[in-house]
């Protein structure tokens, strides 16, 4: 089967530009997706399609499935695989899109430019020993968690659709194959800069940096030292991002530098998960044996990743290497403060604190220590603090917690706001529901084994408004897993 450019889909609203092609050719290889046998839409994101200017009535169709599977190219697409490198669990590797194809950049009715990428689209020159394909479960997982993150208000890539390819993929067993359509501000990664620095010249790094500035941080171009400003801005965005992860209990799982987006979005959902019981040492990923990417290790690892980014920019920061290093070091040193400030602001909101006081840090730390000792549920413990009726659980029966609550209530009285005002802030910052792993696994199993999408669709619906109290019929979605359903490991699932 060969790929033809679709002429029927002009009404769909495709509006591609292909600015990545203007980069030097070391940065990509042009090639089409590898066609699949019998593509069928499994799930489609109508509201995201509309935001992108795409008509769901045209795309959420059998012909749309051909496009979203890579069998048919939408008008204006110029497919390519991106080249990049990365530090994976600390070690440097040359990588690249081994199973993804960038179709192009959709210019939305709102004037935004976003990458449309097919993930699981077949082998490329960067596939190494991989088959270029993806299994249905992990692609649905990325769809679900990325859309949940979006609903939580956290910067993230989005998911437009998942198609079943009709071709099995061989993993430990044979699994249904699938392709995810990923939408992202861009797929520029720290690893793209590492690739440029390692494989190209300083001129290539400069072109890439200028491209990143043009695409994501145009204001930076007017600064005296735009490359320093790019570094500082990327550091600020990553600090805010990882703080937001921690505030909702998210663990990315594979924070390799190839999975760190320069635009500051959460990207590349693999063995990620939300924490149930509070424990800063929580690790889910089956491949993270050392706990490198454990919950509480995410801020220092982000700083480590950003240090790899800074290294690639050194020749652009200053002609004198010593002063370039000094600039980079200073920028990197600001990470901890930036992270801490966003995290503290978020924690104050989680506790309904509207002004700032010295003792707040101790108040926050003491609550977290009690939660850790009791293995209290992270999300529900916060959400229930503002509950009007007394909650009967281990945390609320605990003496130290009761003392803590008196301190907190006294602190709230000092700020002289009504309970309603405080509760509103708390509810907007403490999710009533998160994608709990046992629920995610249950929904994926139903889809994968029985072709039953109802649990997945229901879960997506519940997760779409995470800061609203659940309907009585959905209360079970907030419950932590019973011991028999606890998930200790999530698999990279390629
Ligand atoms: P990830 O762990 O998803 O960030 O992927 C790391 C690298 O491995 C990227 O370069 C991917 O493109 C590549 N990769 C992952 N799975 C496959 C696969 N099944 N076939 C080819 N390349 C893959
Ligand atoms: Mg990756």
């Amino acid at each position: 089967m060969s790929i033809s450019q679709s002429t029927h889909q002009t009404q769909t609203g495709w509006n591609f530009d292909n600015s990545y092609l203007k980069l030097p050719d070391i940065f990509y290889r042009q090639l089409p997706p590898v066609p699949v046998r019998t593509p069928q839409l499994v799930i489609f994101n109508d509201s995201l399609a509309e935001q992108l200017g795409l008509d769901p009535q045209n795309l959420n169709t059998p012909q749309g499935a051909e496009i979203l599977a890579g069998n048919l190219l939408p008008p204006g697409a110029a497919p390519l695989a991106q080249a990049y490198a990365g530090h994976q669990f600390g070690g440097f590797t040359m990588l690249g899109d081994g199973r993804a194809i960038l179709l192009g950049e959709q210019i939305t009715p709102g004037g935004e430019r976003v990458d449309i990428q097919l993930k699981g689209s077949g082998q490329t020159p960067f596939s190494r020993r991989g088959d270029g394909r993806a299994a249905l479960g992990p692609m649905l997982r990325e769809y679900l968690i990325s859309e949940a993150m979006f609903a939580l208000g956290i910067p993230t890539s989005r998911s437009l659709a998942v198609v079943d390819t009709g071709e099995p993929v061989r993993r430990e067993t044979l699994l249904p194959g699938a392709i995810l359509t990923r939408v992202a501000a861009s797929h520029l990664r720290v690893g793209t800069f590492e690739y440029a620095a390692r494989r190209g010249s300083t001129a290539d790094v400069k072109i890439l940096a200028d491209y990143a500035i043009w695409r994501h941080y145009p204001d930076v171009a007017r600064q005296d030292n735009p490359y320093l400003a790019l570094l500082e801005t990327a550091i600020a965005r990553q600090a805010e991002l990882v703080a937001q992860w921690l505030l909702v209990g998210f663990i990315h799982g594979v924070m390799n530098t190839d999975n760190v987006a320069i635009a500051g979005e959460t990207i590349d959902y693999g063995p990620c998960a939300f924490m149930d019981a509070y424990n800063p040492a929580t690790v889910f990923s089956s491949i993270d044996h050392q706990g490198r990417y454990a919950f509480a290790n995410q801020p220092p690892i982000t700083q480590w990743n950003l240090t790899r980014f800074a290294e690639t920019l050194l020749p652009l920061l200053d002609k004198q290497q010593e002063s370039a290093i000094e600039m980079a070091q200073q920028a990197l040193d600001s990470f901890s403060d930036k992270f801490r400030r966003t995290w503290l602001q978020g924690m104050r909101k989680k506790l309904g604190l509207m002004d700032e006081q010295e003792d707040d840090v101790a108040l926050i730390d003491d609550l977290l220590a009690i939660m850790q000792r009791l293995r209290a549920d992270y999300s529900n413990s916060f959400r229930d603090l503002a509950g009007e009726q007394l909650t009967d659980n281990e945390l609320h029966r605990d003496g130290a917690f009761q003392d803590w609550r008196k301190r907190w209530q006294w602190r709230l009285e000092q700020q002289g706001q009504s309970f309603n005002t405080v509760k509103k802030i708390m509810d907007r910052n403490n999710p009533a529901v998160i994608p709990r792993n046992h629920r995610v696994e249950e929904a994926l199993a139903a889809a994968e084994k029985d072709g039953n999408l109802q649990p997945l669709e229901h879960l997506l619906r519940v997760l779409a408004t995470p800061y609203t109290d659940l309907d009585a019929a959905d209360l079970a979605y907030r419950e932590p897993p019973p011991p028999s359903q606890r998930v200790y490991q999530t698999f990279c699932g390629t």
Side-chain angles (χ1 to χ4, degrees):
M1 204 185 331
S2 72
I3 301 218
S4 52
Q5 203 101 10
S6 159
T7 49
H8 305 96
Q9 287 275 331
T10 28
Q11 320 87 301
T12 305
W14 293 109
N15 185 22
F16 277 121
D17 187 52
N18 303 288
S19 68
Y20 213 77
L21 284 176
K22 294 182 192 143
L23 292 178
D25 56 17
I26 58 163
F27 284 106
Y28 56 84
R29 296 284 188 91
Q30 284 188 271
L31 78 162
V34 181
V36 301
R37 204 175 297 152
T38 48
Q40 271 192 311
L41 272 161
V42 178
I43 195 152
F44 186 85
N45 194 334
D46 286 84
S47 74
L48 176 59
E50 275 161 22
Q51 246 173 280
L52 295 172
L54 299 170
D55 182 2
Q57 300 224 338
N58 265 300
L59 202 52
N60 192 356
T61 60
Q63 203 206 17
E66 298 283 336
I67 289 199
L68 299 167
N71 285 4
L72 207 57
L73 284 179
L80 60 86
Q82 294 181 334
Y84 52 87
H87 276 85
Q88 301 192 304
F89 293 91
F92 181 84
T93 323
M94 284 294 193
L95 296 161
D97 287 331
R99 56 162 171 171
I101 291 288
L102 176 69
L103 291 180
E105 300 136 35
Q106 170 79 357
I107 311 297
T108 71
E112 272 182 296
R113 172 186 299 266
V114 292
D115 276 7
I116 307 288
Q117 192 204 58
L118 302 181
K119 181 170 176 180
S121 53
Q123 285 179 321
T124 76
F126 308 109
S127 296
R128 296 173 292 169
R129 280 174 302 282
D131 61 1
R133 293 298 185 192
L136 179 61
M139 293 307 99
L140 290 176
R141 189 164 220 285
E142 172 156 351
Y143 185 108
L144 181 69
I145 310 269
S146 63
E147 288 305 302
M149 289 289 268
F150 171 74
L152 284 164
I154 298 175
T156 177
S157 65
R158 303 283 310 270
S159 298
L160 180 62
V162 174
V163 290
D164 187 319
T165 59
E167 296 176 12
V169 294
R170 182 168 291 283
R171 297 294 180 258
E172 284 87 41
T173 56
L174 280 185
L175 298 170
I179 295 173
L180 170 80
T181 306
R182 180 154 77 176
V183 179
S186 85
H187 287 82
L188 291 175
R189 311 144 187 270
V190 165
T192 318
F193 281 83
E194 292 181 279
Y195 173 83
R198 193 72 71 118
R199 166 80 173 66
S201 61
T202 300
D204 292 314
V205 181
K206 183 173 182 303
I207 291 169
L208 187 64
D210 289 335
Y211 180 74
I213 291 170
W214 170 73
R215 223 171 140 172
H216 300 305
Y217 306 116
D219 293 348
V220 150
R222 285 189 292 277
Q223 305 274 321
D224 287 344
N225 187 339
Y227 306 110
L228 179 60
L230 169 64
L231 176 61
E232 288 168 342
T233 310
I235 288 171
R237 293 293 167 94
Q238 285 295 327
E240 285 159 23
L241 182 65
V242 73
Q244 292 188 68
W245 289 356
L246 264 61
L247 289 165
V248 298
F250 177 74
I251 303 171
H252 182 286
V254 214
M255 294 171 68
N256 294 331
T257 57
D258 55 300
N259 295 338
V260 179
I262 299 299
E265 291 181 338
T266 312
I267 197 164
D268 248 352
Y269 292 86
C272 58
F274 282 72
M275 185 169 58
D276 295 303
Y278 178 65
N279 178 359
T282 306
V283 178
F284 283 109
S285 169
S286 61
I287 52 174
D288 188 2
H289 305 296
Q290 316 284 318
R292 179 179 172 91
Y293 302 139
F295 178 73
N297 218 26
Q298 296 183 113
I301 280 293
T302 300
Q303 194 176 18
W304 190 93
N305 289 337
L306 289 164
T307 307
R308 305 288 80 76
F309 180 47
E311 283 164 359
T312 71
L313 295 178
L314 286 177
L316 307 183
L317 295 182
D318 199 286
K319 282 194 225 61
Q320 305 246 294
Q321 200 190 24
E322 242 170 73
S323 78
I325 291 175
E326 199 169 309
M327 286 176 192
Q329 196 56 58
Q330 221 168 52
L332 290 164
D333 287 345
S334 73
F335 174 86
S336 305
D337 272 356
K338 290 193 169 96
F339 161 76
R340 188 80 186 156
R341 203 176 321 126
T342 311
W343 185 82
L344 261 180
Q345 260 167 17
M347 272 293 166
R348 284 198 173 95
K349 288 185 188 152
K350 286 172 87 69
L351 292 179
L353 309 182
M354 296 163 69
D355 53 7
E356 297 184 11
Q357 289 188 17
E358 285 280 314
D359 294 350
D360 294 347
V361 174
L363 193 69
I364 294 162
D365 287 347
D366 291 349
L367 175 61
L368 291 174
I370 296 166
M371 283 168 54
Q372 185 177 353
R373 174 170 56 81
L374 297 173
R375 296 184 184 83
D377 185 78
Y378 183 72
S379 302
N380 292 353
S381 296
F382 276 105
R383 182 78 183 184
D384 290 344
L385 284 175
E388 269 146 288
Q389 64 278 57
L390 280 182
T391 306
D392 183 33
N393 61 26
E394 205 189 345
L395 179 68
H396 285 251
R397 284 190 297 269
D398 183 78
F401 173 76
Q402 290 168 2
D403 291 344
W404 179 89
R405 194 170 51 195
K406 282 186 202 125
R407 266 165 74 201
W408 172 60
Q409 281 167 342
W410 187 84
R411 168 75 175 82
L412 287 180
E413 279 163 30
Q414 303 309 299
Q415 66 182 14
Q417 300 285 340
S418 74
F419 175 73
N420 263 338
T421 309
V422 169
K423 180 169 163 36
K424 255 194 210 130
I425 291 175
M426 291 180 69
D427 282 356
R428 255 188 264 130
N429 290 277
N430 294 313
V433 61
I434 50 160
R436 292 191 186 269
N437 242 308
H438 64 300
R439 290 286 175 191
V440 174
E441 299 293 330
E442 174 187 79
L444 297 186
E448 220 172 5
K449 297 199 182 85
D450 313 326
N452 175 12
L453 289 164
Q454 199 271 329
L456 180 72
E457 281 163 3
H458 196 131
L459 184 56
L460 273 164
R461 221 168 25 249
V462 167
L463 292 169
T465 54
Y467 297 108
T468 308
D469 281 328
L470 291 167
D471 293 342
D474 289 328
L475 277 175
Y477 284 94
R478 65 167 254 145
E479 292 309 320
S484 66
Q485 282 183 42
R486 272 184 207 146
V487 177
Y488 296 101
Q489 283 200 330
T490 53
F491 293 88
C492 210
T494 50

